[in-house]
Amino acid sequence: CQSACETQWRGALTHGLGKAQKRFANELRNVYNLYNNSASLSTSTQQYDAINSDRVQDILTYAFSIIREGLSMEKNFFISEMQSALDVQNLIRSVMFGLFIAIMVCLYLFFYRPFIRSLAHDIKRTQAMLFMVPLEVVNNINSIRTFLKKFATF
């Protein structure tokens, strides 16, 4: 995710925001030129009036609106790109989880279940053979008696 964020941030700076910064710099250059032209005026009041004129204020308002618009567009672009990257990651995780579940079900059906059936069949066969042993022998041998009591299913 970090590389995707860095890529999106570099794209935001080099494309939309970079253009907005260039336009803002041009507008500030215009204000600077107006200031230099007003420096030739004789009084500080005239200079103040020149700097605070409607034209300068319009240029600054326009320049800041460019930056605001650029940042807004880049924020929306950045958020949409990050959201799509996260959606792709969530999709990949969901698919991987689904595959994991499918593999577990297949392992159960094709390996574990037949193994348990075979084991249960072997236990029943062993029980059947031990039931053929005479009762006196079963009573004398503790392990046979315990096995038959534990697994006896009549």
Side-chain angles (χ1 to χ4, degrees), residues 4 13 47 105 135:
L13 285 177
Q47 291 175 350
V105 167
L135 198 55

Side-chain angles (χ1 to χ4, degrees), residues 82-148:
M82 285 298 103
Q83 186 63 42
S84 66
L86 291 174
D87 289 344
V88 167
Q89 288 178 356
N90 285 340
L91 178 65
I92 290 171
R93 286 186 183 133
S94 297
V95 168
M96 289 176 65
F97 181 72
L99 288 174
F100 174 76
I101 295 296
I103 288 171
M104 288 294 121
V105 167
C106 289
L107 285 174
Y108 173 77
L109 290 176
F110 295 116
F111 293 108
Y112 185 71
R113 191 169 150 196
F115 175 72
I116 296 298
R117 275 193 188 153
S118 168
L119 194 59
H121 179 64
D122 289 346
I123 290 173
K124 286 182 184 180
R125 190 172 61 206
T126 304
Q127 269 183 331
M129 288 192 302
L130 287 176
F131 279 129
M132 289 187 239
V133 175
L135 198 55
E136 296 87 29
V137 175
V138 170
N139 287 333
N140 289 337
I141 301 175
N142 196 18
S143 60
I144 294 176
R145 187 176 54 228
T146 305
F147 179 80
L148 288 176

Side-chain angles (χ1 to χ4, degrees), residues 3-151:
S3 63
C5 288
E6 288 175 0
T7 303
Q8 295 306 321
W9 183 245
R10 279 192 214 106
L13 285 177
T14 57
H15 290 97
L17 189 56
K19 289 179 183 176
Q21 286 174 341
K22 287 177 188 175
R23 288 171 64 187
F24 182 69
N26 287 335
E27 294 303 323
L28 286 180
R29 205 172 288 120
N30 289 340
V31 170
Y32 178 73
N33 290 336
L34 281 172
Y35 177 76
N36 281 341
N37 291 340
S38 70
S40 64
L41 297 173
S42 59
T43 66
S44 61
T45 332
Q46 290 174 334
Q47 291 175 350
Y48 179 80
D49 290 342
I51 292 172
N52 288 325
S53 68
D54 290 338
R55 183 159 192 274
V56 172
Q57 294 303 319
D58 288 344
I59 289 172
L60 289 175
T61 304
Y62 175 69
F64 285 118
S65 70
I66 291 169
I67 290 294
R68 191 178 310 116
E69 180 183 329
L71 285 173
S72 175
M73 288 181 355
E74 291 309 317
K75 176 195 70 152
N76 293 338
F77 174 74
F78 184 75
I79 289 172
S80 68
E81 289 299 314
M82 285 298 103
Q83 186 63 42
S84 66
L86 291 174
D87 289 344
V88 167
Q89 288 178 356
N90 285 340
L91 178 65
I92 290 171
R93 286 186 183 133
S94 297
V95 168
M96 289 176 65
F97 181 72
L99 288 174
F100 174 76
I101 295 296
I103 288 171
M104 288 294 121
V105 167
C106 289
L107 285 174
Y108 173 77
L109 290 176
F110 295 116
F111 293 108
Y112 185 71
R113 191 169 150 196
F115 175 72
I116 296 298
R117 275 193 188 153
S118 168
L119 194 59
H121 179 64
D122 289 346
I123 290 173
K124 286 182 184 180
R125 190 172 61 206
T126 304
Q127 269 183 331
M129 288 192 302
L130 287 176
F131 279 129
M132 289 187 239
V133 175
L135 198 55
E136 296 87 29
V137 175
V138 170
N139 287 333
N140 289 337
I141 301 175
N142 196 18
S143 60
I144 294 176
R145 187 176 54 228
T146 305
F147 179 80
L148 288 176
K149 282 181 181 178
K150 188 174 183 180
F151 294 107

